[in-house]
């Protein structure tokens, strides 16, 4: 490991910030963009040194981790387009070589369709669109074909798991997020390969799910793909539902298929009618029963923070501002946001922080929309706390408790795919990526209409 490489970002940070995240956020955008890039390079160096070829880096034990029996080279695929956006050509070449040398989907193992789709299929498709190397598309098509059997249920809704080699499926009790977050990737794959099957199967699943909404227009948390029955009827915008809404709107934006606009327009008003909650501590989205709309919980968390960005795309800017104010309040409770809080009592319900991007992502969208300094400042504060509390010798570590800042030996690939990408794009020049041309999948892989 090159020691100078490790030290440089720390020295620059010290000179710029004088070290703690409680000081006023005042660095220039350009400096901040360079700092984010330096942290990305630091982490990539750690991955190279300790986890080369594995899915993830373990940033405390300095070792590698794979999700399944065999690696799917997740971190390089997830990180590749961030490298291109940051102008890190050398690192992009390294990642590309590793991907083409090691990545194969021909493995007899069960995988989680949603995660493999958003990280790998999404990553390969954006890599193809941005880099142009046909091998990315070949890998994407091979993966898409291996994921397709997931839709072979009596309802057409996908199973949670599929075997990449045999097409065997497992886990029939799925959720709206894992069902409804396939369209951008499967749709793009169809557009790029000319095979409509991917688009049609993912769209059909979205339509079937949409038609299972209650009379008041809400969806629940868990649905059985074999019977079509809801098994958990709590509605919210948190994990297990969140990106279903994101993909309704973004699928309309990317494919201009009116059916998605219709579904979005029917689905989103009920979310604001029944889940949105303005209380003393701020504006939040809570939980409610999907049939009655009655409040069941006043929980909110790091995942829910994506809503600020989605509201910008939905052109609800005032509401986006309100939500982002609450998002940032949640971040400031302990200097890093916890996974979940009760927004009525402002009590922490789940104290971990797994390097999630959503809060910074929403600050990015709001800054692009309004140009206001306050969103840059929020981003700066959040980025500085990450450096202060999560940085390790080889990368960045999750926090098992934001109160104690105790670290956990794990770094999900979305830290490089999303968290640092959105931080970089927040501070970098706008022309690096125009939101008029690109739609991000939920793992921050930019997709564009090249068809
Ligand atoms: C990512 O994999 C995606 O952003 C997903 O939509 C939610 N979970 C993580 C990040 O928090």
């Amino acid at each position: 490991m090159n020691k100078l490489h490790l030290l440089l970002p720390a020295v620059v940070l010290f000179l710029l910030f004088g070290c703690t995240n409680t000081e006023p956020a005042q660095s220039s955008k350009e400096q901040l963009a360079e700092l984010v890039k330096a942290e990305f390079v630091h982490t990539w160096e750690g991955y190279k040194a300790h986890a080369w070829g594995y899915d993830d880096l373990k940033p405390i034990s300095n070792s590698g981790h794979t999700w399944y029996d065999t690696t799917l080279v997740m971190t390089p695929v997830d990180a590749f387009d961030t490298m291109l956006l940051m102008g890190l050509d050398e690192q992009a070449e390294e990642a590309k070589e590793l991907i083409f040398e090691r990545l194969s989907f021909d493995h007899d193992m069960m995988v989680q369709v949603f995660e493999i789709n958003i990280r790998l299929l999404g990553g390969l498709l954006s890599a193809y669109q941005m880099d142009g190397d046909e091998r990315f598309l070949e890998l994407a098509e091979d993966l898409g074909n291996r994921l397709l059997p997931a839709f072979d249920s009596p309802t057409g809704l996908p199973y949670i798991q599929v075997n990449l080699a045999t097409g065997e499926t497992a886990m029939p009790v799925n959720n709206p997020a894992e069902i409804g977050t396939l369209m951008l990737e499967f749709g793009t794959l169809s557009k790029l390969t000319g095979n409509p099957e991917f688009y049609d199967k993912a769209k059909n699943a979205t339509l079937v799910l949409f038609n299972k909404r209650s009379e008041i227009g809400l969806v629940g948390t868990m649905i059985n793909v074999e019977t079509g029955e809801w098994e958990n009827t709590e509605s919210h915008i948190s994990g297990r539902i969140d990106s279903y809404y994101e993909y309704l709107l973004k699928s309309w934006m990317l494919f201009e298929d009116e059916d998605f606009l219709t579904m979005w327009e029917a689905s989103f008003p009920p979310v604001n009618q029944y889940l949105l909650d303005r209380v003393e501590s701020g504006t939040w989205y809570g939980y409610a029963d999907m049939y009655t709309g009655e409040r069941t919980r006043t929980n909110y968390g790091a995942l829910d923070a994506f809503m600020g960005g989605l509201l910008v795309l939905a052109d609800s800017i005032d509401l986006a501002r309100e939500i982002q104010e609450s998002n940032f309040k949640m971040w400031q409770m302990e200097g890093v946001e916890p996974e979940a809080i009760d927004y009525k009592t402002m009590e922490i319900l789940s104290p971990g922080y797994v390097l999630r991007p959503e809060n910074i992502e929403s600050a990015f969208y709001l800054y692009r929309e309004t140009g206001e300094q306050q969103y840059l400042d929020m981003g700066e504060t959040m980025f500085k706390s990450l450096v202060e509390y999560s940085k390790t010798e080889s990368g960045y570590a999750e926090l098992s408790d934001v109160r104690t800042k105790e670290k956990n030996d794990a770094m999900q690939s979305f830290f490089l795919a999303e968290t640092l990408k959105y931080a970089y794009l927040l501070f970098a020049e706008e022309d690096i990526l125009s939101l008029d041309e690109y739609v991000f999948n939920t793992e921050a892989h930019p997709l564009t209409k090249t068809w």
Side-chain angles (χ1 to χ4, degrees), residues 159-174:
Y159 287 84
I160 288 194
Q161 289 190 335
V162 70
N163 185 304
L164 287 178
T166 66
E168 181 197 343
T169 50
M171 302 185 67
V173 183
N174 208 338

Side-chain angles (χ1 to χ4, degrees), residues 1-11 42 45 391 393:
M1 165 77 60
N2 179 344
K3 290 257 166 43
L4 192 63
H5 219 111
L6 274 175
L7 269 176
L8 257 181
V11 172
H42 163 73
E45 288 298 321
K391 188 169 180 177
E393 189 203 327

Side-chain angles (χ1 to χ4, degrees), residues 307-317 320 362 365-366 369 435:
M307 190 49 90
L310 187 61
L311 286 165
V312 169
L313 294 178
D315 221 12
S316 298
I317 311 304
S362 288
Y365 277 106
L366 269 153
E369 176 66 28
L435 288 177

Side-chain angles (χ1 to χ4, degrees), residues 268-308:
F268 206 56
V271 168
N272 284 334
Q273 186 176 348
Y274 298 105
L275 305 181
L276 186 70
D277 205 1
R278 289 191 173 88
V279 296
E280 215 185 311
S281 60
T283 301
W284 312 87
Y285 285 88
Y287 287 51
D289 181 87
M290 68 178 274
Y291 294 112
T292 64
E294 267 168 44
R295 175 86 47 233
T296 49
R297 282 194 257 176
T298 49
N299 293 10
Y300 190 87
L303 283 165
D304 308 57
F306 84 103
M307 190 49 90

Side-chain angles (χ1 to χ4, degrees), residues 114-115 118-119 242-243 303 356-358 414 418 442-443:
F114 165 83
E115 294 291 356
I118 64 171
R119 299 182 197 221
D242 46 6
S243 44
L303 283 165
R356 290 200 191 281
E358 289 79 3
F414 57 66
E418 295 193 76
T442 198
E443 188 80 358

Side-chain angles (χ1 to χ4, degrees), residues 96 154 172 183 274 284 302 361 390 412 434:
K96 197 168 156 176
M183 191 61 218
Y274 298 105
W284 312 87
E361 174 185 353
S390 279
Q412 292 256 5
S434 159

